[in-house]
């Protein structure tokens, strides 16, 4: 007879199984075709918008924080342990080819992320405190034609988001931090738990303004820090990069052609490669889950489509940039398929640490450890805002937000000092269940998404033309 823990684990495996992955990627593919590949065509425009001075200002339109701060807060929640541990796990379980399927899921995830964020801004509201409140739950309630159905979907999404925020967005991250600090620096989990709980409490009590200020500094800083370290590893292993890339692409479609002795203890199939690549890609960038759309709604903007494109770049930075750095570092270092001193295959964080240590020595372990600490802590901050806004929606009032902030901060200590696998599996299920109402909403409102894209396209063309005119005038 199965235990409760085994039953929960089986449910977790099912909800993150082929059906969910097909639904997530399939929705992205459908929206990409329906919008005539607008997300791909306008990616360069979106990236320029993120780096512009206007993105850091709050002069254009209404909102609580700047467009850049909204993106950084969303990235704080998405760029996390999945970029370090998740990529390594995918490449171990699905082979190097899993990286290709992470890229594929991210390409179509661009449109999913754009759509959910754009709609979230379009249907956001202002609460009694004068703050922006938005997210898929508001889109479902205010945007769907069948109001009863929309309210039911909105309630379910908000409920799943609150439950997921305490697990996947809090306890798992806190545990990753305390374990990394203990393994790398030898500090007890209790001391680490106390420190990060106090830090979280101080920042979180300040609300979105405080969180966005910290995120705008920590997220770019930690991403640049990790990317530079990863590039150094890749460059010092440059002679092995061509073979690593060949391994990645060949094993994405035909693993038997390069498997066997080259991969040591790893045996994979194409389906495994697709499954783990797509699953870890979605888990990393959260495209289609709807979480980033909650933060996007806080942005100061004059048009929901404009901010939709800005927030869409989160998927690009998360998967195409950061995950690729981790993947190439592992593939070029030759550590994939090797074993530790006990004969157990290296996987997860040990695999990433081994890749960085292959050329950086002991420093590699410290760099990865620091990366995990920064990534995980920023995820806690970003997810607090997601959970808080969902909590506010459930109670239809901001009055209880401070209670949520305090409880959320204190739960950080529990996560840092306890290993509660059952709670983590349950939160993982809630994380997956968030996607179902969100994807239903995106599919039902796909026509509106396409209409908004077409409406804004002339604005993009005009701004591009004006940019060229300015360049010529300066020349």
């Amino acid at each position: 007879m199965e235990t409760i823990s085994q039953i929960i684990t089986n449910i977790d495996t099912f909800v993150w199984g082929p059906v969910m992955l097909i639904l997530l990627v399939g929705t992205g593919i459908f929206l990409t075709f329906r919008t005539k590949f607008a997300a791909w065509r306008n990616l360069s425009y979106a990236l320029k918008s993120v780096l512009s001075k206007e993105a850091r200002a709050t002069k254009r339109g209404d909102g609580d924080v700047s467009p850049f701060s909204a993106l950084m807060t969303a990235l704080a929640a998405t760029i996390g342990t999945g970029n370090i541990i998740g990529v390594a796990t995918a490449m171990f379980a699905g082979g190097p080819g899993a990286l290709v399927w992470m890229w594929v899921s991210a390409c179509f995830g661009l449109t999913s992320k754009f759509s959910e964020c754009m709609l979230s801004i379009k249907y956001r509201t202002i609460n009694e405190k004068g703050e922006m409140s938005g997210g898929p739950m508001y889109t479902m309630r205010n945007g769907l034609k069948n109001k009863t159905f929309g309210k039911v979907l909105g309630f379910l999404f908000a409920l799943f988001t609150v439950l997921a925020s305490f697990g996947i967005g809090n306890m798992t991250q806190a545990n990753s931090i305390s374990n990394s600090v203990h393994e790398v620096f030898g500090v007890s989990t209790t001391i680490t738990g106390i420190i990060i709980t106090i830090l979280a409490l101080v920042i979180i009590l300040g609300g979105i303004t405080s969180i966005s200020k910290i995120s705008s500094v920590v997220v770019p800083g930690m991403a640049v820090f990790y990317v530079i370290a990863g590039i150094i590893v890749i460059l010092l292993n440059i002679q092995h990069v061509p073979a690593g890339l060949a391994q990645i692409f060949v094993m994405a479609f035909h693993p038997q052609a390069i498997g066997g002795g080259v991969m040591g203890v790893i045996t994979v199939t194409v389906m495994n490669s697709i499954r783990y690549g797509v699953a870890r890609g979605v888990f990393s960038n959260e495209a289609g889950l709807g979480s980033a759309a909650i933060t996007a709604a806080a942005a100061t903007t004059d048009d929901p489509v404009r901010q939709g494109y800005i927030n869409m770049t989160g998927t690009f930075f998360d998967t195409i940039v950061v995950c690729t750095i981790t993947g190439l570092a592992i593939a070029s270092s030759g550590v994939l398929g090797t074993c530790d001193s006990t004969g157990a295959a290296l996987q997860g964080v040990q695999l990433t640490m081994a890749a960085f240590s292959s050329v950086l020595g002991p420093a590699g372990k410290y760099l990865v450890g620091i990366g995990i600490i920064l990534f995980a802590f920023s995820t806690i901050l970003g997810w607090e805002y997601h959970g808080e806004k969902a909590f506010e929606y459930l109670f239809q009032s901001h009055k209880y937000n401070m209670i949520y902030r305090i409880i959320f901060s204190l739960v950080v200590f529990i996560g840092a000092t306890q290993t509660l696998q059952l709670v983590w599996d349950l939160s993982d299920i809630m994380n997956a269940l968030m996607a179902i109402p969100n994807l239903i909403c995106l599919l039902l409102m796909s026509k509106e998404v396409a209409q908004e894209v077409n409406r804004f396209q002339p604005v993009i063309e005009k701004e591009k033309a004006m940019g060229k005119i300015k360049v010529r005038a300066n020349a």
Side-chain angles (χ1 to χ4, degrees):
M1 188 174 178
E2 288 187 317
T3 63
I4 293 176
S5 180
Q6 288 172 327
I7 293 171
I8 296 298
T9 301
N10 291 337
I11 294 173
D12 187 24
T13 303
F14 173 77
V15 296
W16 277 109
V19 176
M20 175 60 76
L21 299 180
I22 290 169
L23 185 60
L24 278 162
V25 179
T27 300
I29 293 172
F30 174 75
L31 290 170
T32 300
F33 277 90
R34 181 134 202 189
T35 57
K36 299 176 182 177
F37 294 83
W40 297 11
R41 289 186 286 110
N42 295 321
L43 180 58
S44 61
Y45 165 80
L47 291 171
K48 287 178 183 176
S49 297
V50 172
L51 301 173
S52 68
K53 290 182 180 178
E54 289 82 2
R56 289 165 175 76
T58 55
K59 299 175 182 177
R60 187 160 58 186
D62 301 314
D64 297 330
V65 297
S66 71
F68 181 78
S69 293
L71 172 63
M72 289 304 107
T73 305
L75 272 176
T78 52
I79 295 185
T81 53
N83 298 80
I84 298 176
I85 302 172
V87 175
T89 301
M91 293 181 74
F92 173 81
L99 192 60
V100 171
W101 298 108
M102 290 184 80
W103 294 334
V104 171
S105 69
C107 286
F108 291 108
L110 284 171
T111 314
S112 298
K113 183 67 70 75
F114 162 80
S115 302
E116 60 196 19
C117 291
M118 183 275 290
L119 289 171
S120 179
I121 298 160
K122 183 177 181 180
Y123 289 102
R124 67 187 179 180
T125 62
I126 299 176
N127 66 17
E128 313 99 295
K129 200 177 177 182
E131 296 175 337
M132 291 294 177
S133 292
M137 56 276 195
Y138 289 92
T139 302
M140 294 161 194
R141 186 185 71 184
N142 302 330
L144 290 174
K145 292 180 180 178
N146 188 320
K147 297 304 178 185
T148 302
F149 183 58
K151 287 179 180 178
V152 171
L153 284 185
F155 174 81
L156 290 174
F157 178 85
L159 178 63
F160 295 145
T161 301
V162 170
L163 293 174
S165 71
F166 284 103
I168 213 76
N170 185 327
M171 295 177 71
T172 58
Q173 307 301 327
N175 198 262
S176 294
I177 293 172
S178 62
N179 285 340
S180 294
V181 171
H182 179 68
E183 185 175 340
V184 177
F185 302 105
V187 179
S188 76
T189 55
T190 302
I191 292 174
T192 302
I194 292 171
I195 293 171
I196 60 176
T197 299
I198 293 171
L199 284 174
L201 192 62
V202 170
I203 297 167
I204 288 169
L205 287 181
I208 181 59
T209 305
S210 174
I211 292 172
S212 66
K213 281 181 180 178
I214 297 298
S215 298
S216 295
V217 175
V218 174
V219 174
M222 72 179 186
V224 169
F225 163 80
Y226 183 76
V227 167
I228 289 175
I231 289 174
I232 291 172
V233 173
I234 294 167
L235 289 176
L236 292 177
N237 279 322
I238 193 70
Q239 70 273 24
H240 302 302
V241 170
L245 284 171
Q247 214 174 73
I248 288 168
F249 283 101
V250 172
M251 292 196 73
F253 305 99
H254 188 41
Q256 288 80 8
I258 201 168
V262 178
M263 294 308 301
V265 298
I266 297 178
T267 304
V268 297
T269 64
V270 172
M271 287 310 298
N272 249 13
S273 184
I274 295 173
R275 179 189 169 190
Y276 283 98
V278 172
R280 290 298 162 181
V282 170
F283 184 78
S284 173
N285 60 53
E286 297 184 11
L289 297 186
S291 53
I294 299 173
T295 307
T300 300
T301 185
D302 62 343
D303 196 292
V305 179
R306 187 189 303 280
Q307 187 62 34
Y309 280 123
I310 288 175
N311 267 86
M312 171 189 83
T313 61
T315 297
F316 175 83
F317 289 124
D318 182 277
T319 305
I320 305 299
V321 177
V322 182
C323 287
T324 297
I325 292 295
T326 301
L328 287 179
I330 291 172
S332 63
S333 64
V335 297
L336 192 60
T338 58
C339 301
D340 60 18
S341 57
T342 65
L346 290 176
Q347 55 182 303
V349 67
Q350 287 78 21
L351 188 59
T352 308
M353 284 183 171
F356 277 67
S357 299
S358 66
V359 292
L360 300 176
K365 181 180 178 181
Y366 290 106
L367 285 170
V368 174
I370 293 170
I372 289 173
I373 293 165
L374 292 174
F375 281 20
F377 186 72
S378 72
T379 298
I380 291 173
L381 299 181
W383 261 97
E384 188 284 329
Y385 185 72
H386 294 167
E388 179 183 318
K389 283 301 173 183
F391 188 80
E392 179 183 311
Y393 180 87
L394 290 175
F395 287 92
Q396 293 298 301
S397 174
H398 76 285
K399 294 178 181 178
Y400 308 105
N401 286 10
M402 191 58 71
I403 296 173
Y404 174 87
R405 292 176 189 177
I406 294 171
I407 294 173
F408 186 90
S409 300
L410 295 177
V411 168
V412 170
F413 181 76
I414 298 173
T417 55
Q418 305 292 323
T419 302
L420 304 172
Q421 190 61 46
L422 181 63
V423 174
W424 294 357
D425 285 343
L426 281 169
S427 67
D428 202 22
I429 292 169
M430 295 304 119
N431 199 202
L433 291 179
M434 285 170 59
I436 297 175
N438 185 55
L439 294 174
I440 291 171
C441 179
L442 289 178
L443 291 171
L444 290 175
M445 300 184 72
S446 61
K447 182 179 179 181
E448 186 172 340
V449 171
Q451 289 172 341
E452 288 291 328
V453 166
N454 293 334
R455 175 188 61 78
F456 193 75
Q457 194 60 37
V459 177
I460 295 177
E461 301 304 330
K462 183 180 179 180
E463 289 183 10
K464 284 181 178 178
M466 288 178 67
K468 290 179 181 177
I469 291 170
K470 286 181 182 178
V471 171
R472 287 173 185 168
N474 292 334

